[in-house]
Amino acid sequence: MSVKSLFDLTGRKALITGGSKGIGKAIARAFAECGADVCITARHEEELQAAAKEIAQGLSGRIEYRVCDMGDRAAVDAMSIDVLQSLQGIDILVNNAGTNKPEILTETTDDVWDEVLELNFTACMRLARHVVPGMKEKNWGRIIHLSSVMALASNPGRGLYSGTKAALIGMARAHALELGPYGITVNCICPGPIATDLPMSLLNDEQKQRFAERTAVKRWGETMDMVGPALLLGSDAGAYITGTTILADGGLICRTFD
């Protein structure tokens, strides 16, 4: 097998949640460029339409989208069944959709707790549960959870976010052991500071600069910086990588102290 063929996704079917922008859209485009049929999901149809059109530009593969609130269990189940039928299976699942609602412990409300837990963790399990039977039949599958550097280090007010992202890592390890005999790998990617809408809306200029300065490369990451890890884990190139976490943080947490 040639090196180039290791990354060839021709004939593969990929589902990427949160695919209308940011990291999800970048990964969807990369998978499509490598030959996969791709379906992206998000909550807003106009954003999905625009993203699907952009992803499909210059490509001949199949690009679909589904409007879905990943915090709605019934919607997640219905979307999963629909996409499995439409694409005739899902070979690669990228659980990218997520949210962050900072609250300190004593001010954490049950409603926010339930919302973030559902979207960041439970929905990932439910989607994986839907797609795994088909992957087992093919004896090939890739499940990638987008965790976060905040799963490994945190800040005040981020207990809920860090907790859900750390939970993905633990879940991936267990599922890797369960599914490895069927040719299915399960891994996490932990992005560091990536210049997407979510952190840009939460942080002030001083905080943004502080994050950049703490990285080894002295900059925020771009969405394209996540494409390499995703292609590795989503293709035959990563066939012997499972139950692990790729930390793509620009060297943010390799520093011990200043």
Side-chain angles (χ1 to χ4, degrees):
M1 182 178 290
S2 69
V3 172
K4 184 177 180 180
S5 68
L6 288 174
F7 295 93
D8 184 6
L9 298 179
T10 301
R12 301 299 186 191
K13 321 291 184 180
L15 173 62
I16 297 101
T17 68
S20 64
K21 55 188 175 182
I23 293 172
K25 185 171 73 172
I27 292 174
R29 171 71 190 190
F31 284 0
E33 286 183 2
C34 289
D37 292 333
V38 172
C39 181
I40 56 174
T41 76
R43 290 179 297 172
H44 305 295
E45 186 164 10
E46 289 185 3
E47 290 182 358
L48 278 168
Q49 286 179 333
K53 183 177 180 180
E54 182 179 340
I55 291 167
Q57 189 172 3
L59 302 177
S60 58
R62 187 174 181 178
I63 310 298
E64 298 186 1
Y65 69 85
R66 297 292 188 279
V67 177
C68 184
D69 179 356
M70 300 305 296
D72 182 333
R73 293 189 180 187
V76 170
D77 292 343
M79 180 274 290
S80 302
I81 295 169
D82 183 25
V83 176
L84 281 166
Q85 292 176 343
S86 179
L87 294 183
Q88 296 183 323
I90 295 170
D91 303 300
I92 308 166
L93 170 64
V94 180
N95 277 314
N96 170 68
T99 189
N100 184 8
K101 297 193 173 183
E103 290 183 333
I104 63 172
L105 174 60
T106 54
E107 296 177 5
T108 299
T109 64
D110 288 346
D111 287 344
V112 169
W113 177 274
D114 291 343
E115 178 185 351
V116 176
L117 183 63
E118 185 71 32
L119 179 57
N120 286 8
F121 184 60
T122 304
C124 299
M125 179 280 295
R126 295 179 71 84
L127 269 180
R129 190 169 63 188
H130 275 287
V131 304
V132 159
M135 292 178 175
K136 284 184 174 181
E137 289 181 5
K138 295 182 180 180
N139 203 43
W140 197 98
R142 301 287 183 265
I143 298 173
I144 304 169
H145 303 303
L146 267 292
S147 179
S148 170
V149 68
M150 298 290 276
L152 308 174
S154 196
N155 282 319
R158 303 299 177 87
L160 176 52
Y161 182 75
S162 290
T164 57
K165 292 302 185 178
L168 287 174
I169 295 174
M171 182 171 70
R173 289 170 178 164
H175 291 169
L177 293 171
E178 295 174 15
L179 301 175
Y182 302 96
I184 303 168
T185 65
V186 188
N187 293 288
C188 290
I189 299 172
C190 282
I194 307 298
T196 60
D197 291 348
L198 183 59
M200 294 297 102
S201 66
L202 288 174
L203 303 177
N204 59 39
D205 290 342
E206 182 181 349
Q207 290 171 319
K208 293 173 187 175
Q209 183 60 31
R210 188 160 64 245
F211 267 109
E213 287 299 320
R214 283 200 59 81
T215 68
V217 296
K218 304 300 180 185
R219 68 173 177 87
W220 278 73
E222 302 295 333
T223 56
M224 285 300 295
D225 291 319
M226 299 301 106
V227 165
L231 278 176
L232 172 63
L233 297 179
S235 66
D236 284 329
Y240 204 58
I241 303 172
T242 194
T244 195
T245 298
I246 293 182
L247 182 60
D249 71 338
L252 179 70
I253 66 169
C254 66
R255 188 189 307 274
T256 54
F257 53 84
D258 291 318

